[in-house]
Amino acid sequence: MSQSGKDLFLGWLTDGAGGEELGAGTGITTAARAKKGRDQILRILNNHLTFHVTSSHSLTISPNVWEESTGLMKSLIPPQSAEVDNDTVMANGTAVEQFNAAHGSLKLGIPGPEGALKDEVEKILQEDHAHTVQMANGQIPHHLAHPDIRGMIQPPSNGHPVPTPNELPPMPPNFRTVDIKREVERVRDMRRRIKLDASNFSAMERKEFSMNGFDQRQVTARQKALPSICCYTFKDAPEGDHTARLWTSDRVLPLRIFAGHLSDVDCVKFHPNSLYLATGSSDSTCRLWDVQTGLCVRVFLGHQGPVTAMATSPDGKYLASAGEDLAINLWDLGTGKRVKKMTGHTATIYSLAFSQETSVLVSGGADWTVRCWDVKSSGGLATKSSGGGAGAGEDATIADANGFVKRAAGGGGGGTEATTEKEEDDNFATRDLMETFPTKRTPILNVHFTPRNLCLAAGFYQPPVGEMPFERR
């Protein structure tokens, strides 16, 4: 913490700031009870906490560095060398980065089916295509008449190394009919998938649509950007240790124990290539583990509360995490760095899911809403500038090598306009919030994208206080 923060904290504990007689102030309660309470808190602080005070002014350190340099740093990250100064680590935020960099690059590529299985899948798809052409009597578009079937079978590259068969978890020596069926269905789903393109529905268009919603061009852009959401509500549904464990059905003991979190592990998610496992914990951190060795290879530090939901992107490059701090963090698995922070939910977030192209992220939570987020946009809190011409309310943007949009310096805009009550309520929502789908009284416990990009959401109906259950009416 900063020196001024430390002084205020100690002043509150000892009543030194007010100048009252020791034990006579209102730091906790009053008189003797105040002194007793302060003594108990001081005992806990002295026995269980370590304070690192930076000489840098608190305003010179970005909020992201404060979030990623919490008191858990010492327990989560191996000790720095003696010559590394605490102020340098705090100012640059390099402790987590040094830990992640020490484990080198990860093999996050998605492997395709092995040779013989790939040939069988290609044979079936060729037969399907020949049957389709025959049924169409030659009336078929040119781009569909000669599809690249072999290219569809092989997952597209995400720019990261692909693990070799020897580096992947052990697989059965021979494939079965169910394996062929699974790969064929994957390609069929990919060809019939609903393509979601959030870039067609910019933040300015979303604002204009919310005000009128009758412009056909904006309606079309909205339909192309947002998924179709089907929500299931269940009426009257009921509502360890610090490790994650890997099990197999033919053994009574775990294959791997992933130990390192400081509190309960609340959510787990496999990487698409099954070589890595992501975990989220009540210690406010996420970790990425090597399934083969059981070692932690990445630590993600930035949440301010327990992590309750995670999702890995289908292309294997990103991890999204959310929790009781009402924030969704998007992480780059290759570097271990946070790409951006998304806010807008008003209660704990229970579930996350990526669309198949990694362009849209859907979240559901205890605030009875399903929310859609633009993964590639820059995010950040919405600006209040207006006026001028087209795009006056938005900053100029550029795209980086990964397709993520970044705001350029400056931006159009004339004066300012008075904010409405709704705008004031939404001031904490970031610009990448595309749409909010409210339910009546259903906390959303799970959201899921099908292979064809249909979004499913599920939760239990939460009746108002005093409402009679349905079966008793």
Side-chain angles (χ1 to χ4, degrees), residues 16 26 33 72 97 172 209 218 238 251 259 316 319 331 388 399 430 459 461:
T26 58
R33 292 182 62 191
L72 295 172
E97 295 176 9
F209 182 86
Q218 293 177 355
R251 296 181 58 178
L319 172 72
W331 311 92
T430 49
Y461 176 70

Side-chain angles (χ1 to χ4, degrees), residues 194-202 221-226 355 357 359-360 374 376 434 453:
I194 303 169
K195 183 174 177 58
L196 302 178
D197 189 359
S199 62
N200 291 331
F201 198 39
S202 65
R222 182 177 184 270
Q223 292 173 343
K224 291 182 178 180
L226 296 174
S355 66
E357 308 93 347
S359 60
V360 174
D374 184 354
K376 299 294 184 180
M434 299 169 58
N453 264 351

Side-chain angles (χ1 to χ4, degrees), residues 10 13-14 37-47:
L10 293 180
L13 284 173
T14 62
R38 281 192 293 270
D39 290 343
Q40 291 175 345
I41 292 180
L42 286 172
R43 189 178 301 112
I44 294 174
L45 296 178
N46 291 329
N47 293 337

Side-chain angles (χ1 to χ4, degrees), residues 23-35:
T26 58
I28 296 178
T29 54
T30 56
R33 292 182 62 191
K35 183 177 185 303

